[in-house]
């Protein structure tokens, strides 16, 4: 896998791998085959930004992953919600390591963690929360983390933050558009209007009434007409009478990403919603 060779060299010196995925897109925001690469290490899946995802769907995803034998927690790394459960799991592993080292006559060593995931799923925010301080930069766009970096934590942990790695293709075009909607792909990957129109189609199908309530638009119209109506109500014009389609699309996506449309999950276990 592209980028896997760069992560692989750290496996011999880490005890635990934490994989971050976005709770709004729990399956599609995971890198394929990471489980195979890290099969011989303790692994935790952390669903980040749980505060932006539908809590009912998040519970279903947690049940689904646990049924697959995965250790998983959902967190809001910005507020710390869900972090206690993750810390307890890590403390348990830390205790095991101390005991194992003691039986072999070795001194106490920190538990070394590696945080991995695709770009902009909240890895750095999660690391900062685990560290208890802002030690790495964060942002709402992919590419903030430039290179692997170790962070020491007083509670017997050492954390390795890694740059997000994207795979070169997607089996479904809609999957890529959904990744773009939550901000995991560079803005240049697709036209912003295409991403917004795909989101509108999803909302019309899965959460009818939401767009009408938020923007006072007619949901019986096509997605293009609805996006134009949103721009018209916001006063986004390139010239008299002509809607600024791109600015309208950006506004819709910002509302979605900031949670102003409510808590929304874009996929459910089994492929439905």
């Amino acid at each position: 896998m592209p980028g896997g060779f760069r992560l692989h060299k750290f496996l011999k010196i880490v005890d635990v791998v934490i994989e971050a995925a976005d709770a709004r897109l729990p399956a599609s925001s995971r890198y394929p085959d990471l489980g195979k690469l890290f099969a011989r290490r303790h692994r935790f899946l952390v669903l980040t930004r749980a505060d932006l995802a539908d809590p009912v769907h998040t519970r279903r995803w947690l049940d689904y992953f646990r049924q697959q034998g995965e250790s998983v927690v959902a967190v809001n790394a910005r507020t710390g919600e869900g972090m206690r459960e993750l810390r307890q799991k890590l403390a348990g592993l830390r205790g095991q390591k101390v005991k194992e080292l003691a039986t072999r006559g070795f001194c106490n060593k920190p538990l070394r963690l590696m945080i991995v995931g695709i770009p902009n799923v909240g890895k750095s925010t999660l690391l900062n929360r685990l560290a208890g301080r802002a030690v790495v930069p964060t942002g709402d766009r992919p590419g903030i983390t430039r290179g692997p970096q170790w962070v020491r934590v007083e509670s017997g942990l050492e954390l390795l933050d890694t740059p997000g790695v994207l795979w070169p293709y997607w089996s479904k075009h809609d999957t890529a558009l959904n990744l773009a909607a939550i901000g995991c792909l560079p803005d240049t990957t697709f036209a912003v209007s295409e991403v917004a129109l795909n989101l509108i189609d999803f909302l019309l199908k899965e959460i009818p009434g939401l767009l009408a309530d938020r923007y006072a638009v007619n949901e019986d119209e096509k997605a293009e007409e609805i996006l134009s109506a949103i721009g018209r109500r916001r006063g986004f014009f390139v010239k008299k009478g002509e809607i600024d389609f791109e600015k309208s699309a950006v506004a819709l996506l910002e509302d979605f990403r900031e949670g102003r449309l409510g808590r929304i999950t874009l996929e459910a276990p089994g492929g439905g919603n």
Side-chain angles (χ1 to χ4, degrees):
M1 58 185 247
F5 68 94
R6 285 176 288 177
L7 300 178
H8 184 75
K9 67 180 181 180
F10 293 104
L11 287 181
K12 292 182 179 180
I13 58 174
V14 300
D15 305 296
V16 181
V17 175
I18 296 178
E19 180 188 359
D22 195 302
R24 294 168 295 178
L25 212 57
S28 297
S29 63
R30 303 183 70 183
Y31 200 108
D33 298 328
L34 267 184
K36 294 180 181 178
L37 180 65
F38 302 128
R40 297 185 178 182
R41 289 291 178 272
H42 291 288
R43 291 186 295 120
F44 292 113
L45 172 61
V46 178
L47 302 184
T48 62
R49 301 187 177 120
D51 56 312
L52 298 176
D54 184 322
V56 174
H57 284 306
T58 298
R59 287 193 292 271
R60 291 175 60 193
W61 274 111
L62 291 173
D63 290 341
Y64 171 81
F65 287 129
R66 286 165 182 160
Q67 289 170 7
Q68 306 303 309
E70 298 198 58
S71 183
V72 57
V73 297
V75 307
N76 174 4
R78 289 185 294 183
T79 65
E81 182 181 359
M83 293 298 299
R84 181 178 180 181
E85 181 180 358
L86 178 59
R87 288 180 181 278
Q88 288 175 339
K89 292 179 180 294
L90 294 175
L93 289 178
R94 166 73 178 142
Q96 291 178 24
K97 181 176 182 178
V98 170
K99 290 180 180 179
E100 290 172 0
L101 288 172
T103 59
R104 293 158 54 190
F106 292 107
C107 61
N108 190 0
K109 292 184 179 181
L111 188 73
R112 285 190 151 188
L113 318 176
M114 179 164 62
I115 301 180
V116 300
I118 69 171
N120 201 32
V121 289
K123 298 186 302 298
S124 295
T125 302
L126 177 61
L127 187 149
N128 287 340
R129 177 60 63 172
L130 283 170
R133 63 191 190 281
V135 291
V136 293
T138 63
D140 293 328
R141 67 183 190 279
I144 295 295
T145 302
R146 296 300 182 183
Q149 50 190 320
W150 283 103
V151 176
R152 287 185 174 272
V153 181
E154 292 182 2
S155 56
L157 301 179
E158 287 187 352
L159 309 176
L160 178 64
D161 192 23
T162 62
V165 180
L166 275 173
W167 54 104
Y169 64 89
W170 299 270
S171 58
K172 295 182 179 179
H173 187 63
D174 286 352
T175 297
L177 289 173
N178 285 338
L179 286 167
I182 64 174
C184 289
L185 299 184
D187 292 337
T188 56
T189 307
F190 299 103
V192 66
S193 58
E194 184 180 6
V195 179
L197 291 173
N198 184 71
L199 178 61
I200 289 175
D201 284 334
F202 170 86
L203 295 175
L204 290 174
K205 178 182 178 182
E206 303 295 344
I207 317 178
L210 186 152
L211 292 171
D213 290 342
R214 172 71 183 178
Y215 301 109
V217 296
N218 181 3
E219 292 196 354
D220 291 329
E221 296 180 334
K222 294 181 179 179
E224 292 84 353
E225 296 167 335
I226 290 175
L227 187 56
S228 293
I230 292 173
R232 188 177 301 109
R233 291 188 176 278
R234 292 284 185 92
F236 297 150
F237 297 96
V238 290
K239 58 184 179 181
K240 187 175 181 180
E242 185 176 335
I243 303 297
D244 189 328
F245 214 56
E246 181 171 342
K247 194 171 183 179
S248 304
V250 169
L252 173 65
L253 291 174
E254 285 182 350
D255 282 349
F256 166 68
R257 291 171 180 172
E258 294 299 319
R260 289 190 285 267
L261 298 182
R263 300 176 67 174
I264 298 171
T265 300
L266 297 178
E267 63 184 356
N273 213 309

